[in-house]
Amino acid sequence: MKSLLEKNHPSLYEKLENEQCNEKKQEAYYEFVQSSNKIEKADFFTLLPDKRAALLDSTGKSIEKELKSLVDGLSDIADMVDKKKSHSEIADKMMDVGVAAFGVLASEAFENTLKDHDKLTTEVIKSAIEIALDVAENLGEIGEIIAAIILVIIPIIYFMLKPAFTTVLIINDSDEDYKFGKHFNTHGKTTSYTTSITSTFEKDGQTFSNAGFFTSSKKDGALYGTQSGFTLLTGQETLAFGAECPLNGSNNCYCEFDKSAEQISKLTEKKKDLYHEVSKGGLGLNIRGNSKSGGLAWFIGRIYNT
């Protein structure tokens, strides 16, 4: 984690490392945030079946545990890429973390490699991950892809005392591809989103789903935390997800069809749910959060065929 932060944000890293006081670290982070209002655009990543199952089975505190573990693991992978470790070593780490590929072309290479085999084994999956790594490396983008996914989240987790920050992981278990639509913040600001999440695929009785992070945080010096919404689009269908983490009050989430980003943001505060599920025309959505309280709010959303 440290090397990733140092490489991409050296001035922030130096301040965070040199400050012994947590309050000073928080001030240093806010200085960094104030100097950059960039919204990070990230690619999706492919989950291995066991990690997908663990994420979908998690509730309450285990949601936070699973998502933190995923972010930490992605950070370790990025660090290995930066240190130019062998693809065999990186593939082993990716299998431990539970991810198989990053981005469209690498994910396609991984899926196509699996389809060439009649039966999946650990060796086949590792080989497919290595091929996906080759594709990403040839594009010269794997380190940048992983960094874009997690660099917004890492400083929040490790250096902020009272952040008011939402992290939403959306898992696409459907047979449709989705692209990011719009975002809206009743309070706070969007800090990152995933540009697209392609459909799930199955092989040998195992499900490989693609997923992406969407994050928001309080504005600098604001008296309220974050209350945000975003949409995902395919054809004429609009899927809307919302998440809220106020400085005072309860954390909430919500999902619905055919709502704008602004509408879902406002409905999230009105409904005050920590779990919501809805279905329409053979498609289902749900979202659940880790806790009603806390300045770091973690959510897992799912798109699936009914």
Side-chain angles (χ1 to χ4, degrees):
M1 183 273 291
K2 286 186 176 181
S3 63
L4 185 65
L5 191 62
E6 183 179 18
K7 177 183 177 182
N8 288 273
H9 302 304
S11 61
L12 173 63
Y13 174 84
E14 183 178 359
K15 288 184 178 181
L16 294 175
E17 280 293 288
N18 291 337
E19 290 292 354
Q20 300 300 312
C21 174
N22 283 336
E23 285 76 10
K24 290 294 184 182
K25 287 185 177 182
Q26 182 165 298
E27 288 176 9
Y29 180 77
Y30 273 133
E31 286 180 14
F32 167 74
V33 171
Q34 289 167 356
S35 67
S36 174
N37 289 316
K38 178 184 176 183
I39 298 175
E40 198 70 60
K41 299 176 184 179
D43 282 302
F44 68 83
F45 50 94
T46 304
L47 296 169
L48 292 173
D50 286 349
K51 186 61 177 180
R52 168 189 170 273
L55 288 164
L56 293 179
D57 288 344
S58 61
T59 58
K61 291 182 179 179
S62 65
I63 293 176
E64 178 179 3
K65 179 181 177 182
E66 287 292 338
L67 290 180
K68 275 189 174 181
S69 172
L70 179 58
V71 172
D72 285 341
L74 292 172
S75 177
D76 290 340
I77 293 166
D79 188 53
M80 293 178 72
V81 170
D82 189 47
K83 293 178 179 177
K84 302 189 183 304
K85 298 291 185 180
S86 72
H87 282 185
S88 178
E89 292 176 288
I90 297 172
D92 283 334
K93 181 63 180 180
M94 289 174 66
M95 292 183 71
D96 288 339
V97 173
V99 296
F102 302 94
V104 175
L105 295 180
S107 177
E108 289 177 352
F110 174 77
E111 180 178 352
N112 291 334
T113 303
L114 293 190
K115 288 179 177 179
D116 288 339
H117 293 80
D118 294 329
K119 186 174 178 61
L120 295 188
T121 64
T122 300
E123 290 74 21
V124 166
I125 293 173
K126 181 181 177 182
S127 175
I129 291 174
E130 290 185 41
I131 290 172
L133 284 168
D134 288 339
V135 170
E137 184 177 70
N138 288 337
L139 294 172
E141 62 181 15
I142 182 169
E144 289 78 6
I145 288 176
I146 305 174
I149 292 170
I150 59 175
L151 266 173
V152 169
I153 305 174
I154 282 178
I156 295 285
I157 295 175
Y158 293 102
F159 298 110
M160 293 293 284
L161 296 176
K162 299 177 182 178
F165 185 82
T166 65
T167 299
V168 182
L169 179 75
I170 299 294
I171 299 173
N172 185 7
D173 270 346
S174 78
D175 53 12
E176 294 284 348
D177 297 343
Y178 293 91
K179 65 178 181 179
F180 180 79
K182 293 183 178 180
H183 60 85
F184 180 86
N185 300 280
T186 305
H187 299 285
K189 60 184 181 181
T190 298
T191 49
S192 72
Y193 64 83
T194 300
T195 56
S196 66
I197 310 177
T198 60
S199 59
T200 186
F201 68 94
E202 294 188 359
K203 173 68 178 180
D204 201 17
Q206 299 188 61
T207 301
F208 298 82
S209 297
N210 295 315
F213 281 113
F214 300 79
T215 64
S216 65
S217 71
K218 69 182 286 292
K219 287 184 178 179
D220 316 309
L223 298 178
Y224 197 94
T226 175
Q227 179 185 336
S228 64
F230 61 90
T231 57
L232 297 172
L233 311 174
T234 181
Q236 299 301 311
E237 194 71 77
T238 299
L239 316 182
F241 294 88
E244 180 185 22
C245 182
L247 288 173
N248 296 293
S250 62
N251 299 335
N252 304 293
C253 57
Y254 199 65
C255 60
E256 190 56 86
F257 291 93
D258 304 321
K259 300 294 183 184
S260 68
E262 180 176 358
Q263 287 172 324
I264 201 69
S265 174
K266 293 177 179 178
L267 280 169
T268 297
E269 194 278 331
K270 182 178 179 180
K271 298 293 184 178
K272 295 191 180 301
D273 284 338
L274 202 59
Y275 176 83
H276 188 72
E277 188 162 15
V278 64
S279 63
K280 173 191 173 185
L283 194 65
L285 313 176
N286 64 40
I287 187 170
R288 62 193 185 281
N290 67 306
S291 175
K292 277 285 187 180
S293 62
L296 287 171
W298 302 85
F299 303 94
I300 296 176
R302 184 187 181 211
I303 307 165
Y304 59 97
N305 299 319
T306 58

